[in-house]
Amino acid sequence: MSTARRVTATDVARRAGTSQSAVSRVFTPGASVSPDLRERVMEAARSLGYRPNAIARSLITRRSRIVAVAMADLGNQFYPLVLEALSARLQAEGYQILLFTADPAAPSDPMIEQVMRYQVDAVVLASTGLSSALARECRALGVPVVMFNRMTDDPDLSCVIGDNERGGRDVAAFLAAAGHRRPAFIAGLEGSSTNRDRERGFVRGLAEAGLAAPARAAGHYSYEGAAAATRALLREAAPDAIFCANDHMAIACMEVARHEFGLSIPGDLSVVGFDDVGPARWRSYDLTSFSQPLGPMVEATVGMLLEFMDDPSLPVRRVVVGGELVLRGSARRPAGPLPHP
Amino acid sequence: MSTARRVTATDVARRAGTSQSAVSRVFTPGASVSPDLRERVMEAARSLGYRPNAIARSLITRRSRIVAVAMADLGNQFYPLVLEALSARLQAEGYQILLFTADPAAPSDPMIEQVMRYQVDAVVLASTGLSSALARECRALGVPVVMFNRMTDDPDLSCVIGDNERGGRDVAAFLAAAGHRRPAFIAGLEGSSTNRDRERGFVRGLAEAGLAAPARAAGHYSYEGAAAATRALLREAAPDAIFCANDHMAIACMEVARHEFGLSIPGDLSVVGFDDVGPARWRSYDLTSFSQPLGPMVEATVGMLLEFMDDPSLPVRRVVVGGELVLRGSARRPAGPLPHP
DNA sequence: TCCCTTTTTGCATACGTATGCAACAGCCTG
DNA sequence: CAGGCTGTTGCATACGTATGCAAAAAGGGA
């Protein structure tokens, strides 16, 4: 029953009365084959149900047309959308995604080690949990690496990020202009570059507006973490605004503020997020948020990947994709016109 | 610079003073190698940075240790979580996921065709958009297929699903017991088995409670679709309860009911969802929902996959994973004790 | 000590495709 | 008609690993 031996190019060749190499050429775009032969081969292939073996092809071409994507935190709505967009874009270019989900708890280097065995043509790291030592190692092997929404000081690594520092600063300027006096900050993962830059921008922005450094608590980019951080801040710091390092946490923050502390938003408390992900637009939240434009970020990533795969010796690049503060109802607005950034 | 030729088993063998086959055996669990040689080979491998080539291995073993996963609708929080769990579970078993995202609009069969070229060991179909003709074709090729959260009448296809019909029925019984007289239904994708079964159960359950068939509108499992469906229903049918075919739509429904129609939930309108996904627990929604237990569903899927890969001739299996109605605040409850299912 | 069993090792080949090379056909130019 | 050029085809080999087989080595029993 399962004796269904796979149909090979040789089988097709025999049926079409030609050689295996001719069959190969028919399935290789741009190769030189006469229309007549091409038709015969296609016909034979169709009737036999031939499907080229990408594994065998990869072995010889040394290109798998597979891109490894490392992700974590699929519970944060930002990442699934990134994945969807990346996948669609790469599929359109004829690449497949080998997915690698990192458990933020466990060390994930040994797992991606496994992925590297598949001779992937490139790697996208969109998970904070992966060491950049690993990224460097890939690069040393000649495999292009792009860090997505993530950065290191390492000058040898390419990345695509949103404008985190400016975002933090804009939020600070906005909150200050609206008359908030005691803004607080809920941090994401302490080690992450996104969090560091957003916080730095926020703190600087507040300073520029003549406000003191904000109270802060860490939410680790998780729902529960942000809920706990909100409780702590509301109990101890009496803030009149909270800037959360991403929307996922901002939602948790709003839930706690409203339902556990009975606060009205933005009457008693303004809340601002980062990412401008789907739920930010849901009416219950109507979240003011600094956007990270998914489309352009993915476009930049795929563009770099394609170029690097074409020529691995190209110089490292760091792309910053601009975003903007999207004003909604979760934060009190300045009376006058907005300060222009 | 990028002359970094890949290190092969032969290089390691030379360095360790042995043969390529010995190196292969060292990296093959269960093969017979003396401790001494094993140590020498490992040492050589380490110093050269050897990484076995999974592509070459797949070519000869005819097993890629890759599982194709087809998904769509990553915007619905249910699926990313499935993906995360599937990935974690498969990685633990030494399998990788080749991700395939289907654009619900475009025909996706040609795309998965592409994926099949990678000699994947198995396929998980978690996207409604894919024809089951394709699934049958895979099976004919000897590649195990499991449909996730999806079913067909085809007796040759295995699947893992939640208890859709019972879920619909329980919701009906629950709403009726609480005294609702004009329940309505917001359907998901018309062609999908999940929607069909949930609706069927709901309609039957209502009939059993002596209620008429519900008003209905299609939301296509999308946020916007559900919002439009809600508007139509509220304008035309004056329902006192709405059962949505999934949580994603239930949230849209609640937003529209509250913010566009000024209804109080559950005072003026009860809303019930299906899936019991993360946001259902968020206090703003506090959504009563029939659960689809992710863990058991994924466990069942992976279990079947592993068995099928081990022995493709095993009979088709259909697993129904039970769920339960999780009572929260979005739907009025019966005064007395609940009817026991 | 010898013979038999078990373990360890290397040789050689297979997996399915791509591609350099040579052979050949057809066509054009002069 | 010679010579050259372009386009098409098949042959042979390479890619990196796994594995059957036989040879060699290591035990084990008497």
Side-chain angles (χ1 to χ4, degrees):
Chain A
M1 161 168 293
S2 75
T3 324
R5 212 179 59 70
R6 296 209 46 93
V7 178
T8 79
T10 310
D11 299 330
V12 176
R14 193 173 313 125
R15 171 108 176 199
T18 181
S19 67
Q20 177 267 320
S21 33
V23 175
S24 165
R25 277 190 266 263
V26 167
F27 283 89
T28 304
S32 151
V33 194
S34 68
D36 167 52
L37 183 62
R38 153 163 286 123
E39 189 39 51
R40 263 162 51 220
V41 167
M42 287 308 258
E43 167 56 28
R46 220 172 302 126
S47 77
L48 292 176
Y50 171 67
R51 234 184 292 270
N53 184 330
I55 295 279
R57 161 182 297 208
S58 302
L59 186 57
I60 173 70
T61 60
R62 286 146 172 255
R63 310 197 121 222
S64 57
R65 298 196 78 84
I66 291 179
V67 173
V69 175
M71 279 224 167
D73 202 12
L74 278 272
N76 170 358
Q77 301 88 337
F78 182 63
Y79 287 108
L81 296 181
V82 167
L83 190 57
E84 194 163 39
L86 257 182
S87 167
R89 193 66 183 65
L90 284 173
Q91 278 175 189
E93 299 285 341
Y95 287 87
Q96 305 300 134
I97 285 186
L98 199 62
L99 180 65
F100 165 68
T101 59
D103 176 358
S108 31
D109 284 24
M111 298 262 41
I112 196 155
E113 193 75 12
Q114 207 64 26
V115 170
M116 292 306 294
R117 296 187 173 183
Y118 283 89
Q119 318 295 97
V120 295
D121 290 346
V123 178
V124 177
L125 295 181
S127 157
T128 330
L130 294 170
S131 80
S132 52
L134 182 80
R136 241 174 292 121
E137 197 176 335
C138 295
R139 235 190 79 88
L141 284 171
V143 180
V145 179
V146 174
M147 319 252 282
F148 185 94
N149 199 24
R150 176 159 178 232
M151 217 187 59
T152 43
D153 303 326
D154 193 324
D156 282 344
L157 294 175
S158 297
C159 63
V160 174
I161 52 177
D163 203 343
N164 295 306
E165 181 155 353
R166 184 167 79 75
R169 193 125 113 210
D170 283 7
V171 170
F174 169 76
L175 289 176
H180 297 90
R181 313 301 322 240
R182 302 174 55 83
F185 178 68
I186 293 185
L189 266 177
E190 295 289 8
S192 70
S193 67
T194 47
N195 182 72
R196 189 195 53 211
D197 295 348
R198 289 168 196 179
E199 179 162 15
R200 183 193 297 149
F202 189 56
V203 172
R204 287 199 184 155
L206 292 181
E208 284 166 15
L211 292 178
R216 107 193 264 288
H220 315 292
Y221 284 141
S222 80
Y223 188 92
E224 281 310 327
T230 304
R231 288 183 201 107
L233 283 176
L234 290 180
R235 262 199 304 264
E236 297 157 21
D240 55 2
I242 298 184
F243 171 39
C244 300
N246 73 5
D247 286 355
H248 191 56
M249 296 198 300
I251 284 173
C253 174
M254 291 178 76
E255 296 289 7
V256 168
R258 278 179 180 153
H259 297 105
E260 297 183 18
F261 288 77
L263 299 180
S264 129
I265 294 175
D268 304 322
L269 177 74
S270 289
V271 176
V272 178
F274 206 110
D275 282 350
D276 189 27
V277 84
R281 283 184 289 276
W282 295 355
R283 292 287 299 273
S284 293
Y285 305 111
D286 198 28
L287 182 64
T288 291
S289 180
F290 193 87
S291 68
Q292 293 213 94
L294 211 83
M297 287 180 77
V298 167
E299 195 54 43
T301 305
V302 173
M304 282 179 57
L305 285 179
L306 293 175
E307 287 184 47
F308 283 150
M309 289 192 284
D310 195 51
D311 178 2
S313 70
L314 283 176
V316 162
R317 215 180 319 152
R318 302 182 163 221
V319 176
V320 177
V321 176
E324 55 175 358
L325 190 60
V326 180
L327 301 184
R328 297 203 184 84
S330 69
R332 179 154 40 99
R333 305 196 189 188
L338 280 185
H340 267 292
Chain B
M1 160 166 294
S2 73
T3 326
R5 213 178 59 69
R6 296 209 47 93
V7 178
T8 79
T10 311
D11 300 331
V12 175
R14 195 173 312 127
R15 171 108 176 201
T18 180
S19 68
Q20 178 266 319
S21 35
V23 175
S24 166
R25 278 189 265 264
V26 167
F27 283 88
T28 303
S32 151
V33 193
S34 68
D36 167 52
L37 182 62
R38 154 163 283 123
E39 188 40 51
R40 265 163 51 221
V41 167
M42 287 307 258
E43 167 57 26
R46 220 172 300 126
S47 76
L48 292 177
Y50 171 67
R51 235 184 293 269
N53 185 329
I55 295 282
R57 160 181 298 208
S58 303
L59 186 56
I60 173 71
T61 60
R62 287 146 171 253
R63 312 197 119 224
S64 57
R65 298 198 77 84
I66 291 179
V67 173
V69 175
M71 280 224 166
D73 201 11
L74 279 272
N76 170 359
Q77 299 90 338
F78 182 63
Y79 287 109
L81 297 181
V82 167
L83 190 57
E84 194 163 39
L86 257 183
S87 168
R89 194 63 184 67
L90 284 173
Q91 279 177 26
E93 299 285 341
Y95 287 88
Q96 305 301 133
I97 285 186
L98 198 63
L99 180 65
F100 165 67
T101 59
D103 176 357
S108 29
D109 285 22
M111 298 261 43
I112 197 155
E113 194 75 11
Q114 207 64 26
V115 169
M116 292 306 294
R117 296 186 173 183
Y118 284 89
Q119 318 293 99
V120 295
D121 291 346
V123 178
V124 176
L125 295 181
S127 158
T128 330
L130 295 170
S131 79
S132 51
L134 182 80
R136 240 173 294 122
E137 199 176 333
C138 296
R139 235 190 79 89
L141 284 171
V143 180
V145 179
V146 174
M147 320 251 281
F148 185 94
N149 199 25
R150 185 168 167 221
M151 214 186 63
T152 43
D153 303 325
D154 193 324
D156 281 345
L157 295 176
S158 296
C159 63
V160 174
I161 52 176
D163 202 344
N164 295 306
E165 180 154 355
R166 186 167 76 78
R169 192 125 113 211
D170 283 6
V171 170
F174 168 76
L175 289 176
H180 297 88
R181 311 303 320 241
R182 302 173 55 83
F185 178 67
I186 294 187
L189 266 177
E190 294 290 7
S192 69
S193 67
T194 47
N195 182 72
R196 188 195 53 212
D197 295 349
R198 289 168 197 179
E199 180 163 13
R200 182 192 298 148
F202 188 56
V203 172
R204 288 199 184 156
L206 291 181
E208 284 166 14
L211 291 177
R216 105 192 267 285
H220 314 292
Y221 284 143
S222 80
Y223 188 93
E224 281 310 326
T230 305
R231 288 184 202 106
L233 284 176
L234 290 180
R235 261 199 305 264
E236 296 158 21
D240 55 2
I242 298 185
F243 170 40
C244 300
N246 74 6
D247 286 356
H248 192 56
M249 295 198 301
I251 285 174
C253 174
M254 291 179 75
E255 296 289 7
V256 168
R258 279 179 179 153
H259 297 104
E260 295 183 18
F261 287 78
L263 298 181
S264 131
I265 294 175
D268 303 323
L269 178 74
S270 288
V271 176
V272 178
F274 207 109
D275 281 350
D276 189 27
V277 84
R281 284 184 289 276
W282 296 354
R283 292 288 298 272
S284 294
Y285 304 112
D286 198 27
L287 182 64
T288 291
S289 181
F290 193 87
S291 67
Q292 293 212 94
L294 212 81
M297 286 180 78
V298 167
E299 195 55 41
T301 305
V302 173
M304 281 179 58
L305 285 179
L306 294 176
E307 287 184 47
F308 283 150
M309 289 192 286
D310 195 51
D311 178 1
S313 70
L314 282 176
V316 160
R317 215 179 320 151
R318 301 182 163 222
V319 176
V320 176
V321 176
E324 54 175 359
L325 191 59
V326 179
L327 301 184
R328 299 205 183 82
S330 68
R332 178 156 40 98
R333 305 195 189 189
L338 280 186
H340 267 294

